[in-house]
């Protein structure tokens, strides 16, 4: 994933270790500094399996989660613009397993049991979920340009009502938690007609707790309702999400219809286009931000590993030497919330860094506290040093490479040509209107602007800033915006406006009032013909006026 992040001569840290790539640096720090702490205090049994080289080297991954028939598989088909092996689409729960859609030179399907023994894929630790899961896990490989930059994980449709009582045979929430810790983006899909969040869906969302920065929400099939209904649907969705996602920030929700078929209701077409472009830009940014995301996840893991070490060593310290171990164990488990408070004060740790107390109490029931290791400060200090100094070395490498190389981004499929051409967002609208027209677009309304211009008492064909200000203030736009419009319209920068410049100013005000942004520099097609350096343009304009 970080093959694009390279140094010409590498980067040294204070101990003389040399990192040729950010990937190598992350792997080295993890294996030498963090892994010993995790192994000593049984971190992998309580929280997350050990990371492998493939976890650092894999492409950015996008995880799709949603109830059945919300369009998850169709969404992938829409992005790739082609079918992928193992794809099934229908109104009933068709996807009954996890599908990792990845790049491969040859099209085909790799079964789960074969997938978890492949050291080049980041799925080896999924072996712990057993055959019941692996029989419902496949990797769909195909040569597709989109998949050269990202991988996409399709999940089973989450069940509702009576269906959710049927056991899947494996811990669905735990599998989601495993993927949530490793992917770069989590997309929750909702159907405009299915806003209810079932018990299993609530459990799935709670399993993604701690990954709030990765979560985006997509309200799919939004073209099936009109504007008034869409407002009600959006409000109901936010209310439902507020009950299961306990964060003060509002989750980003993208509205649209993500499949390649005609819109059923076109009155919100511009909104859907803007929302889809925002979502595309978010997905396209994943390769560029992948290094920072891996770095951020390593820091989060290190903080949790430190807290876990403090908890385990404290429980060991409190155990009696010979008698009453079982009774003391039960007492310590009951006192775990109090122990959290003690450790917070003693080691100056934030409450948000501690694991879920109920889950921790359940897991501790199965361990002999007497066999827990004591606190080894050298391991803690090694991780502290990594966080304080060595992470900064990798941060510097990332920034340096970003300045030297063009940022990678997702291309191909639905991303190809979504920005350029006549069907790109904003093409022929706002400031771009008239870019491909032969005449000066302002001239179409210039007769109205001229009527206003001559009421402002021009002298020698020009009006002063004072007179122009009175008229421009009628737009009620802020002075900062009107000041920018004045600078753009005053082409010869003489502090006055002639009739063409005044017409241009009125045109820019109209663009701003319609909700479009103003440019920092005036585009060539908006420069008044009388102020252009090309005499042919002036002749054409005069001919049009005649």
């Amino acid at each position: 994933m970080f093959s694009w992040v390279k140094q010409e001569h590498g980067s040294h840290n204070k101990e003389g270790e040399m990192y040729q790539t950010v990937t190598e640096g992350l792997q080295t720090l993890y294996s030498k500094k963090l892994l010993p702490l995790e192994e000593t205090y049984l971190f992998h049994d309580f929280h997350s399996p050990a990371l492998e080289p493939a976890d650092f080297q894999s492409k950015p991954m996008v995880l799709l989660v949603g109830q059945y028939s919300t369009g998850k598989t169709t969404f992938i088909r829409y992005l790739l613009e082609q079918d992928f092996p193992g794809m099934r689409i229908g109104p009933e729960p068709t996807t009954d397993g996890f599908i990792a859609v990845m790049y491969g030179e040859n099209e085909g399907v790799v079964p789960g049991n074969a997938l978890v023994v492949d050291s080049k894929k980041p799925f080896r630790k999924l072996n712990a979920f057993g055959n019941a899961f692996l029989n419902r896990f496949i990797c769909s490989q195909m040569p597709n340009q989109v998949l050269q930059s990202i991988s996409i994980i399709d999940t089973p449709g989450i069940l509702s009502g009576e269906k959710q009582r049927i056991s899947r045979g494996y811990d669905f929430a735990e599998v989601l938690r495993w993927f949530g810790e490793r992917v770069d983006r989590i997309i929750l899909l909702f159907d405009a007609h299915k806003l209810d969040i079932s018990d299993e869906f609530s459990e799935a969302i709670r399993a993604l707790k701690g990954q709030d920065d990765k979560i985006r929400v997509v309200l799919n099939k939004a073209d099936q309702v009109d504007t008034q209904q869409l407002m009600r649907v959006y409000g109901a969705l936010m209310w439902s999400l507020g009950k299961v996602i306990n964060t003060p920030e509002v989750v980003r929700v993208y509205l649209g219809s993500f499949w390649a078929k005609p819109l059923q209701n076109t009155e919100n077409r511009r909104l859907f286009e803007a929302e889809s472009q925002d979502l595309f830009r978010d997905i396209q940014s994943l390769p560029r931000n992948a290094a920072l995301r891996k770095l951020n996840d390593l820091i989060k893991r290190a903080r949790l590993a430190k807290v876990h070490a403090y908890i385990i060593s404290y429980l060991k310290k409190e155990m009696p030497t010979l008698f009453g171990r079982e009774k003391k164990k039960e007492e310590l488990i009951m006192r775990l919330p109090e122990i959290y408070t003690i450790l917070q004060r003693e080691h100056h740790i934030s409450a948000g860094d501690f694991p879920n107390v109920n889950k921790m109490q359940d897991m501790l029931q199965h361990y002999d506290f007497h066999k827990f290791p004591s606190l080894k400060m050298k391991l803690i200090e090694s991780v502290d040093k990594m966080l304080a100094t060595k992470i900064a070395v990798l941060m510097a490498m990332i920034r340096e490479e970003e300045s030297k190389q063009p940022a990678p981004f997702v291309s191909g499929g639905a991303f190809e040509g979504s920005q350029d051409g006549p069907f790109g967002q904003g093409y022929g609208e706002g400031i771009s209107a008239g870019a491909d027209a032969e005449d000066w677009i302002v001239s179409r309304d210039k007769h109205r602007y001229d009527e206003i211009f001559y009421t402002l008492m021009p002298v020698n064909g020009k009006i002063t800033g004072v007179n122009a200000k009175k008229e421009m203030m009628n737009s009620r736009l802020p002075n900062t915006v009107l000041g920018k419009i004045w600078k753009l319209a005053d082409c010869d920068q003489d502090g006055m406006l002639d009739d063409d410049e005044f017409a241009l100013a009125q045109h820019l005000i109209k663009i701003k009032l319609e909700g479009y942004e103003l440019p920092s520099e005036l585009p060539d097609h908006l420069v008044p013909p009388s102020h252009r350096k090309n005499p042919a343009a002036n002749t054409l304009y005069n001919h049009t006026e005649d």
Side-chain angles (χ1 to χ4, degrees):
M1 179 178 64
F2 303 137
S3 58
W4 53 273
V5 186
K6 293 183 180 178
Q7 293 278 18
E8 268 183 30
H9 306 293
S11 178
H12 288 275
N13 63 21
K14 292 184 179 179
E15 293 182 0
E17 295 170 337
M18 188 172 183
Y19 307 142
Q20 293 295 332
T21 66
V22 173
T23 305
E24 182 187 338
L26 287 169
Q27 286 182 240
T28 303
L29 290 181
Y30 175 72
S31 60
K32 291 187 176 181
K33 307 298 180 185
L34 186 54
L35 186 59
L37 180 70
E38 292 182 354
E39 290 176 337
T40 301
Y41 294 100
L42 309 176
F43 180 86
H44 306 142
D45 295 339
F46 281 85
H47 300 289
S48 179
L51 298 178
E52 297 194 338
D55 291 311
F56 296 100
Q57 297 164 2
S58 61
K59 297 182 180 75
M61 292 191 288
V62 178
L63 178 68
L64 298 180
V65 182
Q67 296 185 155
Y68 73 93
S69 193
T70 53
K72 296 185 299 299
T73 306
T74 304
F75 182 81
I76 299 174
R77 171 69 178 78
Y78 176 71
L79 293 182
L80 303 182
E81 290 190 343
Q82 69 178 101
D83 295 344
F84 56 89
M87 182 186 84
R88 289 174 60 208
I89 296 175
E92 74 283 1
T94 49
T95 304
D96 61 350
F98 285 76
I99 303 178
V101 187
M102 308 181 77
Y103 182 83
E105 292 296 335
N106 299 313
E107 189 172 309
V109 172
V110 181
N113 283 288
L115 197 58
V116 294
V117 297
D118 187 350
S119 60
K120 295 181 180 179
K121 297 283 192 301
F123 306 122
R124 284 171 52 114
K125 297 298 181 180
L126 285 170
N127 188 54
F129 293 103
N131 279 329
F133 167 72
L134 296 178
N135 290 336
R136 292 176 174 83
F137 179 44
I138 62 171
C139 177
S140 175
Q141 293 183 322
M142 59 188 295
N144 184 282
Q145 192 176 351
V146 174
L147 299 177
Q148 289 181 331
S149 306
I150 60 172
S151 300
I152 306 174
I153 311 296
D154 192 9
T155 61
I158 294 177
L159 307 175
S160 60
E162 187 66 27
K163 298 172 186 173
Q164 70 186 15
R165 299 179 186 173
I166 304 171
S167 174
R168 294 182 183 272
Y170 60 90
D171 195 332
F172 179 70
E174 281 300 313
V175 174
L176 280 184
R177 180 178 287 109
W178 189 94
F179 275 109
E181 291 172 352
R182 287 159 177 79
V183 300
D184 296 72
R185 184 67 74 239
I186 301 168
I187 297 179
L188 303 179
L189 271 95
F190 288 86
D191 185 328
H193 298 289
K194 289 182 183 176
L195 298 180
D196 59 309
I197 298 181
S198 65
D199 293 343
E200 190 179 28
F201 201 2
S202 297
E203 186 183 356
I205 294 174
R206 291 190 187 99
L208 301 171
K209 186 177 180 180
Q211 314 298 334
D212 303 325
D213 57 320
K214 301 178 183 179
I215 294 177
R216 304 290 184 271
V217 176
V218 170
L219 180 57
N220 199 12
K221 306 180 184 180
D223 63 321
Q224 296 181 6
V225 295
D226 60 29
T227 304
Q228 186 178 17
Q229 291 173 326
L230 183 59
M231 291 175 63
R232 292 173 179 166
V233 166
Y234 181 82
L237 174 60
M238 298 304 291
W239 180 80
S240 299
L241 287 172
K243 294 194 298 182
V244 291
I245 301 180
N246 297 318
T247 56
E249 300 84 8
V250 177
V251 182
R252 177 65 165 96
V253 178
Y254 298 91
L255 311 174
S257 180
F258 297 95
W259 65 346
K261 292 191 177 182
L263 296 175
Q264 293 187 24
N265 195 323
T266 59
E267 59 185 276
N268 293 312
R269 183 186 184 106
R270 279 185 57 185
L271 172 64
F272 297 156
E273 288 174 354
E275 291 284 287
S276 66
Q277 289 303 321
D278 285 350
L279 180 59
F280 283 178
R281 279 192 290 269
D282 185 68
I283 296 174
Q284 284 181 306
S285 71
L286 294 180
R288 183 174 67 248
N289 300 326
L292 283 174
R293 203 276 302 168
K294 291 289 186 186
L295 200 61
N296 183 57
D297 282 356
L298 186 67
I299 294 169
K300 284 198 293 187
R301 189 181 179 99
R303 291 166 70 93
L304 179 59
K306 272 181 57 184
V307 170
H308 180 76
Y310 285 132
I311 295 170
I312 295 298
S313 59
Y314 184 91
L315 296 175
K316 164 71 174 180
K317 184 181 69 172
E318 293 294 308
M319 287 296 288
T321 308
L322 293 175
F323 305 107
R325 291 179 181 175
E326 280 302 315
K327 187 176 180 180
K328 187 65 175 177
K329 173 182 172 180
E330 291 178 9
E331 178 193 333
L332 288 172
I333 291 175
M334 289 293 294
R335 289 181 50 230
L336 194 59
E338 180 188 337
I339 292 171
Y340 278 15
T341 306
I342 293 170
L343 294 175
Q344 283 180 49
R345 289 197 301 263
E346 185 178 341
H347 300 287
H348 308 289
I349 303 170
S350 169
D353 288 346
F354 282 82
N356 181 279
V357 67
N358 295 326
K359 182 182 175 186
M360 197 71 176
Q361 285 174 323
D362 291 340
M363 297 191 72
L364 286 170
Q365 299 282 356
H366 308 291
Y367 290 87
D368 183 354
F369 292 6
H370 187 68
K371 294 181 180 179
F372 283 166
S374 302
L375 186 61
K376 298 178 181 178
M377 285 309 298
K378 282 190 177 179
L379 293 176
I380 299 288
E381 289 168 359
S382 178
V383 172
D384 283 337
K385 189 175 181 181
M386 176 192 80
L387 293 173
T389 60
K390 297 181 180 168
I391 291 295
V393 175
L394 296 181
M395 285 291 294
M397 288 178 67
I398 294 172
R399 292 193 191 100
E400 187 175 345
E401 285 302 320
E402 284 178 347
S403 65
K404 287 183 178 179
Q405 298 182 6
F409 65 97
V410 182
S411 59
F415 302 97
E416 193 67 36
S418 61
Q419 301 292 335
D420 305 319
F423 296 100
Q425 184 189 2
Y427 185 90
E429 300 175 0
I431 208 71
S432 302
D436 52 2
E438 292 187 2
D439 62 332
W440 184 40
I441 188 172
V442 182
S443 65
R444 300 172 189 178
D445 293 316
K446 192 170 181 298
H447 62 283
R448 291 194 297 107
Y449 301 146
D450 282 349
E451 290 178 6
I452 302 172
F453 177 79
Y454 288 111
T455 64
L456 299 176
M457 297 179 292
V459 178
N460 296 327
K462 294 191 175 186
I463 58 173
T464 63
V466 174
N467 289 344
K469 179 180 178 180
K470 292 177 183 176
E471 177 58 33
M472 293 172 68
M473 291 280 285
N474 291 332
S475 67
R476 300 185 182 181
L477 289 172
N479 285 350
T480 52
V481 176
L482 293 176
K484 184 173 184 179
I485 290 174
W486 174 270
K487 289 182 180 179
L488 291 171
D490 187 11
C491 299
D492 53 12
Q493 299 179 354
D494 63 350
M496 303 178 77
L497 299 181
D498 60 23
D499 59 333
D500 284 350
E501 291 173 325
F502 178 77
L504 173 60
Q506 293 295 104
H507 180 73
L508 294 174
I509 288 173
K510 176 185 173 186
I511 288 173
K512 187 62 182 176
L513 290 175
E514 289 174 350
Y516 298 100
E517 293 301 319
L518 296 172
S520 54
E521 293 184 5
L522 193 67
D524 291 341
H525 71 278
L526 286 184
V527 177
S530 58
H531 291 270
R532 295 177 188 173
K533 296 179 180 179
N534 182 8
N538 199 12
T539 305
L540 176 63
Y541 169 66
N542 289 332
H543 175 71
T544 305
E545 288 288 289
D546 295 339

